[in-house]
């Protein structure tokens, strides 16, 4: 029997609700903060979240509230499950009720536009606390709600945070693996949303399994190149927060980002798709932010560039496939053979041929 830990989950969308259900299932007192008081009342009355997870029966020990002070009072571990666009704002609101001994863990898979910041950076800046972590992995909320077996990663350089999250969340259907590479885990979760949109589009265009497999593998090369430029460890991309999350979101229609890509591939407009989703698909904004950052830092990201044109410059999804095949033939794994060396060899034979 493990010790009971009081947990607050800030954000009662699909993921926050699924997470609260696991925590409570494991016997820990659980608060769930939602901004809408009527939704909080409905959750407490019906023991389910009628807006985001209507089919998930919540343990009665999940207590919903729209009062941040009440949610955070006495909480030892706080999960932040707010979409990236509202993350900083909610954390600022919560700041007066937070204490340095509390452990703060972000589950958000996106970037803050101002300054291109990760959620772990926002947590450090806004709170100045040291017990910080990031949770990321192949964790589709609807599968978690059905207790389908899966795993996740708690990334933190603080051993108390890693061990506590493993103890609080781990159970017979959910395994929690530890990592110290916060940026790697966080970037894996945020960047894979981009490629899930591309994969959904490829599926809608009827592309074959070879194509989808190449797309995912080149996505892994591209996302790890970007992440390493921002200080992440490339090895993290071999784990659940890297390739694990990439596979699930690039293959499952349960992923909202994949569904955005599918709908675009079927000829719907981006506005139409986002409007009809009713939930967040972080990848749309992430494409825009990552493209700007890659341009600024001179990082080669052909898939991001091509997807940006489809999402924001009215290029057709078929053009994206064409541009993907027209790019330079580069290195397979650049941590084995650097891209510059391949380019140099190509230039050498071109020179010889033209002499
Ligand atoms: N749903 C999933 O399968 C998973 C989601 N995530 C990540 O978790 C984060 C949250 O996603 P979901 O719960 O799925 O989103 P959702 O769209 O299902 O729900 C969003 C929740 O955040 C609230 N919210 C939105 N903007 C807010 C703001 N400015 N202030 C306060 N509350 C606000 C909404 O009212 C709602 O409760 C995202 O970054 C997502 O990528 C991570 C793992 C899995
Ligand atoms: O991050 C997720 C699964 O790990 C959820 O993906 P979507 O946001 O695309 O639904």
């Amino acid at each position: 029997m493990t010790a009971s830990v009081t947990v607050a989950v800030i954000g009662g969308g699909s993921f926050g609700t699924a997470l609260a259900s696991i925590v409570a299932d494991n016997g820990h007192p659980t608060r769930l903060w939602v901004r809408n008081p009527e939704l909080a009342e409905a959750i407490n009355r019906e023991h389910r979240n009628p807006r985001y997870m209507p089919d998930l029966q919540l343990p009665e020990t999940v207590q919903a509230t729209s009062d941040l002070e009440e949610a955070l009072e006495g909480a030892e571990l706080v999960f932040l499950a707010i979409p990236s666009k509202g993350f900083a704002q909610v954390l600022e609101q919560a700041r007066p009720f937070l204490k340095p001994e509390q452990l703060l863990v972000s589950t958000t898979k996106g970037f803050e536009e101002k300054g291109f910041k990760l959620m772990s950076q926002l947590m450090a800046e806004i709170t100045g606390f040291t017990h910080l972590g990031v949770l990321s992995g192949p964790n589709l909320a609807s599968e978690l709600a059905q207790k389908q077996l899966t795993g996740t990663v708690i990334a933190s350089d603080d051993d108390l945070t890693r061990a506590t999250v493993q103890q609080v969340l781990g159970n017979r259907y959910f395994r929690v693996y530890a990592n110290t590479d916060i940026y790697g885990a966080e970037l894996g979760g945020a960047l894979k949303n981009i490629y899930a949109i591309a994969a959904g589009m490829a599926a809608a265009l009827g592309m074959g399994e070879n194509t989808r497999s190449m797309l995912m593998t080149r996505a892994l090369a591209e996302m790890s190149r970007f992440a390493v430029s921002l200080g992440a460890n490339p090895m993290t991309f071999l784990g659940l927060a890297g390739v694990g999350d990439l596979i699930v979101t690039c293959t499952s229609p349960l992923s909202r980002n994949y569904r955005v890509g599918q709908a675009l591939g079927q000829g719907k407009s981006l506005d139409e798709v986002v409007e009809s989703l009713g939930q967040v698909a972080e990848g749309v904004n992430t494409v825009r932010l990552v493209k700007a950052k890659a341009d600024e830092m001179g990082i080669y990201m052909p898939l991001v560039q091509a997807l940006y044109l489809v999402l924001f410059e009215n290029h057709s999804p078929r053009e994206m496939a064409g541009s993907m095949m027209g790019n330079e033939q580069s290195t397979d794994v650049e941590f084995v053979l650097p891209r510059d060396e391949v380019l140099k060899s190509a230039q050498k034979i071109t020179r010889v041929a033209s002499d």
Side-chain angles (χ1 to χ4, degrees), residues 13-15 35 52 83 86 90 108-109 139 141 256 279-280 282:
S14 3
F15 194 65
R35 58 181 165 173
Y52 286 98
V90 172
T108 300
K109 294 176 173 174
N139 300 149
R256 285 104 23 121
Q279 292 184 17
V280 69
E282 294 267 16

Side-chain angles (χ1 to χ4, degrees), residues 51-62:
R51 165 72 178 86
Y52 286 98
M53 279 263 149
D55 299 329
L56 171 64
Q57 192 61 43
L58 292 168
E60 296 199 4
T61 45
V62 173

Side-chain angles (χ1 to χ4, degrees), residues 192-205 207 212 215-216 246-247 249-252 257-259 261-262 307 320:
K192 57 80 191 171
N193 290 328
I194 296 176
Y195 306 104
I197 298 177
M201 222 182 262
L205 294 174
M207 291 182 181
R212 293 167 73 178
L215 177 63
M216 278 193 266
L246 183 70
I247 291 172
T249 31
C250 286
T251 56
S252 172
N257 289 287
Y258 181 93
R259 288 208 299 275
Q262 261 186 329
L307 194 56
M320 168 165 174

Side-chain angles (χ1 to χ4, degrees), residues 143-165:
E143 287 198 1
L144 283 182
Q146 294 166 357
K147 302 188 182 9
Q148 299 269 8
L149 311 187
T150 191
T152 197
V153 175
I154 174 64
S156 175
D157 45 26
D158 173 49
D159 55 359
L160 179 68
T161 303
R162 293 195 305 270
T164 306
V165 172

